[in-house]
């Protein structure tokens, strides 16, 4: 991904927030045969470890297709994005653009044992269930615990420490404040291309509390 200083997202914390809020990612591998393999899975941050460390699992035989653990992979984290019409600018020559926030994470996954994989699955479930009024827990009953232990063998867990990342937060930072106000208003209240999530990212990018 080509980087632009105007749209640089350089902090670990900024990337961590992006992962927390957008955990559905694309995993891309280049195999020893030179083939590209892509899969889509949820990930969860290890908040208790230094740096950016993520965990997830893949369904068998995706770990073989990706050759996980044998080489570096690319994980793409995509946040809110959307079309920006030149009609929302101040007039004069202009072309459309697309606002977005995205991070490319690079690292070599470490494959986990079945016991560790089960712990990762529990963390994933808890991460998404915590906001539910009555959270579901994998170990809520002995029967459900036994069921989870049976199906875990159909997945392979992994942990990946992010060795490097490239992240971009393109939110019209190169436009005058009045233009940014107009774009945000269109995204929040317009009749087409409405995206409150993208509007919230634009407000965050210019330092507003959201």
């Amino acid at each position: 991904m080509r980087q632009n200083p105007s749209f640089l997202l350089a902090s670990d914390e900024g990337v961590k927030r992006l992962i927390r809020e957008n955990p559905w990612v694309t995993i891309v591998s280049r195999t020893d045969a030179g083939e590209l393999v892509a899969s889509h899975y949820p990930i969860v941050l290890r908040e208790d470890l230094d740096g950016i460390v993520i965990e997830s699992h893949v369904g068998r035989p995706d770990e073989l297709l990706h050759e996980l653990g044998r080489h570096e992979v690319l994980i793409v984290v995509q946040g809110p994005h959307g079309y920006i019409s030149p009609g929302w600018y101040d007039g004069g020559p202009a072309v459309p653009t697309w606002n977005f926030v995205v991070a490319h994470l690079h690292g070599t996954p470490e494959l986990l044992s079945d016991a560790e994989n089960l712990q990762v699955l529990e963390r994933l479930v808890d991460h998404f269930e915590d906001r539910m009024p009555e959270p579901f827990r994998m170990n809520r009953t002995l029967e459900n615990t036994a069921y989870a232990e049976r199906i875990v063998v159909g997945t392979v867990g992994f942990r990946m420490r992010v060795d490097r990342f490239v992240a971009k937060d393109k939110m019209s930072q190169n436009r005058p404040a009045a233009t940014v106000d107009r774009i945000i208003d269109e995204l929040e209240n317009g009749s087409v291309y409405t995206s409150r999530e993208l509007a919230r990212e634009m407000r965050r990018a210019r330092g507003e509390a959201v």
Side-chain angles (χ1 to χ4, degrees), residues 118-201:
L118 185 57
Q119 293 174 355
V120 170
L121 290 173
E122 290 176 4
R123 282 194 285 270
L124 275 167
V125 171
D126 289 347
H127 175 74
F128 294 106
E129 284 290 324
D130 281 347
R131 69 192 68 183
M132 299 292 287
E134 297 182 10
F136 176 94
R137 303 301 181 193
M138 283 182 60
N139 293 319
R140 62 195 176 104
T141 65
L142 290 176
E143 181 183 24
N144 210 73
T145 298
Y147 173 73
E149 290 174 349
R150 289 197 304 273
I151 67 167
V152 73
V153 298
T155 69
V156 175
F158 70 86
R159 179 179 302 119
M160 190 182 95
R161 179 173 297 279
V162 176
D163 297 325
R164 58 190 173 87
F165 66 82
V166 179
K168 200 169 184 178
D169 188 21
K170 181 179 178 295
M171 294 292 155
S172 299
Q173 296 97 323
N174 57 334
R175 294 286 173 179
T179 301
V180 174
D181 287 339
R182 190 176 303 111
I183 293 171
I184 290 174
D185 182 65
E186 290 288 347
L187 291 171
E188 292 178 337
N189 305 302
S191 57
V192 293
Y193 299 117
T194 305
S195 174
R196 293 187 179 277
E197 293 81 6
L198 182 56
R200 186 168 58 249
E201 285 295 325

Side-chain angles (χ1 to χ4, degrees), residues 16-194:
K16 286 181 178 181
R17 180 190 64 79
L18 182 64
I19 295 170
R20 292 185 195 106
E21 297 180 2
N22 305 275
W24 183 250
V25 304
T26 302
I27 303 171
V28 183
S29 301
R30 181 180 292 278
T31 68
D32 290 341
E35 297 178 348
L36 287 175
V37 180
S39 297
H40 309 273
Y41 285 96
I43 61 174
V44 64
L45 270 172
R46 282 296 301 267
E47 303 279 5
D48 58 327
L49 299 178
D50 293 333
I52 303 175
V53 181
I54 58 176
E55 292 179 334
S56 188
H57 68 281
V58 298
R60 297 182 188 274
D62 279 2
E63 86 284 5
L64 299 178
L65 296 176
H66 280 272
E67 299 175 356
L68 287 184
R70 289 167 54 177
H71 45 65
E72 183 182 80
V73 302
L74 165 66
I75 294 183
V76 181
V77 187
Q78 175 74 65
H81 60 92
Y83 178 78
I84 306 299
S85 170
W88 301 344
Y89 294 167
D90 298 320
V95 295
T97 191
W98 204 276
N99 278 1
F100 63 90
V101 55
V102 66
H104 291 183
L105 314 179
H106 298 264
T108 302
E110 169 197 356
L111 299 187
L112 304 177
S113 67
D114 284 350
E116 289 178 301
N117 184 26
L118 185 57
Q119 293 174 355
V120 170
L121 290 173
E122 290 176 4
R123 282 194 285 270
L124 275 167
V125 171
D126 289 347
H127 175 74
F128 294 106
E129 284 290 324
D130 281 347
R131 69 192 68 183
M132 299 292 287
E134 297 182 10
F136 176 94
R137 303 301 181 193
M138 283 182 60
N139 293 319
R140 62 195 176 104
T141 65
L142 290 176
E143 181 183 24
N144 210 73
T145 298
Y147 173 73
E149 290 174 349
R150 289 197 304 273
I151 67 167
V152 73
V153 298
T155 69
V156 175
F158 70 86
R159 179 179 302 119
M160 190 182 95
R161 179 173 297 279
V162 176
D163 297 325
R164 58 190 173 87
F165 66 82
V166 179
K168 200 169 184 178
D169 188 21
K170 181 179 178 295
M171 294 292 155
S172 299
Q173 296 97 323
N174 57 334
R175 294 286 173 179
T179 301
V180 174
D181 287 339
R182 190 176 303 111
I183 293 171
I184 290 174
D185 182 65
E186 290 288 347
L187 291 171
E188 292 178 337
N189 305 302
S191 57
V192 293
Y193 299 117
T194 305

